[in-house]
Amino acid sequence: QVQLVESGGGLVQAGGSLRLSCAASGFTFTSATMGWFRQAPGKEREFVAAITWSGGIYYAYYADSVKGRFTISRDNAKNMVYLQMNSLKPEDTAVYYCNVVRTQGGSWYALTDYWGQGTQVTVSS
């Protein structure tokens, strides 16, 4: 059974930083491409970042809105995914979720229907 537990959110001023964590279980983590999504009030859930691991090399992908500010990473030994968020903006305010992801046609999609509780990130101006 897939389980994803996000943590690390909070309230931060614009320009600040947060590090989100996602603990994953119930599937073969090392084979999975993992990603982060976010959902702001009244908006659809959107892709933020993804990371895959192949042949000992990590490949990271980002939404244009966070490129250069956010860094995704993973620890395969701990089944953890992280999202380091720097230079935060009020428009980054959202609930952040992790999931197993896939890409198709240049877009990223969650591969499972399971969504954890997410972690709230609030950026004040």
Side-chain angles (χ1 to χ4, degrees):
Q1 181 180 356
V2 173
Q3 281 203 325
L4 302 161
V5 180
E6 301 92 349
S7 62
L11 173 63
V12 64
Q13 288 188 331
S17 298
L18 283 173
R19 188 192 193 212
L20 307 184
S21 299
C22 170
S25 62
F27 59 96
T28 305
F29 185 80
T30 52
S31 301
T33 298
M34 297 299 298
W36 286 93
F37 294 81
R38 66 186 181 186
Q39 187 167 20
K43 295 188 177 181
E44 292 189 354
R45 189 174 288 147
E46 65 174 0
F47 168 78
V48 175
I51 185 167
T52 190
W53 179 80
S54 177
I57 300 174
Y58 295 93
Y59 300 90
Y61 308 86
Y62 300 95
D64 287 343
S65 58
V66 307
K67 205 171 290 184
R69 300 187 298 122
F70 291 11
T71 302
I72 188 171
S73 61
R74 63 191 292 164
D75 185 336
N76 288 339
K78 297 181 179 179
N79 284 16
M80 296 289 294
V81 186
Y82 305 99
L83 187 67
Q84 177 67 43
M85 306 186 296
N86 298 328
S87 302
L88 282 161
K89 304 176 181 179
E91 50 264 44
D92 294 319
T93 295
V95 179
Y96 284 70
Y97 303 89
C98 65
N99 210 320
V100 186
V101 299
R102 64 177 177 88
T103 185
Q104 183 175 349
S107 296
W108 290 90
Y109 304 91
L111 198 57
T112 79
D113 293 329
Y114 177 90
W115 293 96
Q117 83 287 351
T119 186
Q120 175 72 49
V121 172
T122 303
V123 184
S124 63
S125 57

